[in-house]
Amino acid sequence: MLAERAVQQVHAFHGDLVARMLLSEQDGDGALASRLRTEEPLYRCRDGSVALTDGTVAADVLRDTRFTSVPAEPGTAQYTLACVDEVIRAESGVVAPESPSTQDEVNGAVSRVLRARPSAELDLVTEVIRPVVADVLGDALDVPIVRRQRFQRLTELAGRAMDASVCPPRLTDGYALRDSLRELRDLCGAEAYAVAVLGAEMAVNLATNAALGMLRDLPAADDLTTLVPRLLFQDPPVRLHRLFTREPVDLAGQRIEAGTRVLILNGAVRRERSGAQATALTVAAHPRLAPMAIGIAIVVGAALRGHLGRLRLIGGPARRLRAPVTRAIVRLPVSVTDREAR
C-alpha cells in the first residue's frame, strides 16, 4: 500500500490529474473535476489507466460485458487489497433485500435519537443517520438485535472499501477495513455482506448529502424524490467507478489493451449532461444495490425533513480523506432546538 501510494504521488507531481484526484488529500475535488471536464473524453493516466468523463461513453462501458469490476488475478496493475476486491466481486451476485421498515418507523427512530441527545448539539452523521441506516439494513438482513450496535460499527469501518479500491488506506485503516469485512461476512453471510458494506455506505452518503442540501436551504418546494436525483448529479454518493478490460477494446476512438484499469469519473461528468444521466450511471454501476440505497436515503431524508425547523448547521461538513470514490461526510455538526422555528 505504501509503495502504491508513493507511485500515485510521483504521477501527481508530474501533472497527472487523475492521480491527484485519487490521492484525495484535500477536502474536495471540484477544481480537479472542472479541469478534467475540459480534457478529451478519454484521459490517459501516467500509470496506464484511462479515465472517462463523457457520460455517454461511460454508460456504454457499464453495459459492455468486456469490462469487469474486479481484476482477473491478484497482481493486476493497481491491485490493492484482496478483501476489497472480494466484496466488490460479491456485489454482482447479491440480491438486495426488501426493507421491512416503514416511514413511520424511521420517523420514530429519528425522533427518539433527537429526544435522547445529551446536549443541544449533535453530529447528524454518527448519531442519527448511520444508526438509523444500520437499523433499516439490520432489519432487512435479519441481524440479531443484540448485534445491532456492533453491526453499525462494522458498516462504518467497512465503508472505506470502495475508496480503498483505488486509494490505498493508511496501515491502521487497512487493518480495520480487512477485519471489519471478515466480521461482516461472518455476521451476514457471503451472499449478503456486500449489502452491509456497499449498500450501507451509499445510503449513508446519499442521506447525508440530502440532509446537508436541505439544511443549506435548497428550495422548500423540492420533495425528496426530486432532491435525491439532483444530488446524484451534483454530489453523487459514488463519484468513481473502477473497471478493468477483459480483452482489447476500442474506446472513444482509442485502442485499450486487455487488463487496463478504466475509471469512470461520475463526479466529473460534464455539466451539460443531464442529471438523469448521472443518476443512471450510479444505478448502472451498482444495479442491485443503488436502488435500495436510494430508497433508504429517501426514507431517512424524509424523516429528517420533519425536523428541519429544529436543526441548524454549526460548522461545515468534515469529509473523509483518502476517499476519492465516496467523498463521504463523516461529521455534520448541528444544534437542535426544543421547538420548531417560526
Side-chain angles (χ1 to χ4, degrees), residues 190-265:
E191 300 80 13
Y193 84 122
V195 177
V197 179
L198 308 178
E201 190 67 9
M202 283 190 277
V204 168
N205 291 349
L206 188 52
T208 303
N209 291 346
L212 180 60
M214 291 187 291
L215 288 167
R216 284 178 168 169
D217 295 325
L218 284 178
D222 276 341
D223 62 20
L224 269 295
T225 57
T226 302
L227 174 60
V228 167
R230 180 191 302 182
L231 288 168
L232 283 164
F233 182 48
Q234 296 173 341
D235 194 7
V238 182
R239 302 177 66 82
L240 185 154
H241 310 299
R242 183 201 71 172
L243 299 170
F244 294 87
T245 53
R246 298 178 188 269
E247 60 188 73
V249 297
D250 291 319
L251 189 59
Q254 299 191 44
R255 188 67 169 173
I256 308 300
E257 297 304 319
T260 299
R261 184 176 67 167
V262 178
L263 303 174
I264 296 175
L265 305 182

Side-chain angles (χ1 to χ4, degrees), residues 63-220:
R63 290 191 295 264
D64 195 327
T65 58
R66 294 175 299 173
F67 297 84
T68 177
S69 60
V70 292
E73 298 291 341
T76 299
Q78 294 82 49
Y79 179 83
T80 51
L81 299 172
C83 59
V84 170
D85 283 333
E86 182 179 297
V87 73
I88 292 174
R89 183 179 289 109
E91 181 187 5
S92 63
V94 76
V95 176
E98 292 289 335
S99 173
S101 301
T102 66
Q103 183 69 65
D104 286 344
E105 289 171 330
V106 174
N107 291 347
V110 169
S111 296
R112 285 192 296 274
V113 173
L114 294 178
R115 285 197 304 269
R117 70 190 189 281
S119 70
E121 299 178 1
L122 59 77
D123 176 5
L124 205 58
V125 179
T126 61
E127 296 181 60
V128 182
I129 295 175
R130 277 200 177 276
V132 171
V133 170
D135 268 345
V136 171
L137 280 176
D139 286 341
L141 294 172
D142 294 323
V143 176
I145 295 294
V146 295
R147 300 295 305 277
R148 290 295 176 84
Q149 190 170 0
R150 182 59 180 165
F151 177 72
Q152 176 194 330
R153 178 57 177 158
L154 290 172
T155 59
E156 182 177 0
L157 292 172
R160 296 179 179 274
M162 286 187 285
D163 294 305
S165 69
V166 293
C167 181
R170 292 180 175 86
L171 188 60
T172 53
D173 294 333
Y175 282 132
L177 172 58
R178 180 198 63 186
D179 294 344
S180 63
L181 290 176
R182 288 175 177 173
E183 192 170 342
L184 276 172
R185 181 177 177 130
D186 291 341
L187 179 61
C188 301
E191 300 80 13
Y193 84 122
V195 177
V197 179
L198 308 178
E201 190 67 9
M202 283 190 277
V204 168
N205 291 349
L206 188 52
T208 303
N209 291 346
L212 180 60
M214 291 187 291
L215 288 167
R216 284 178 168 169
D217 295 325
L218 284 178

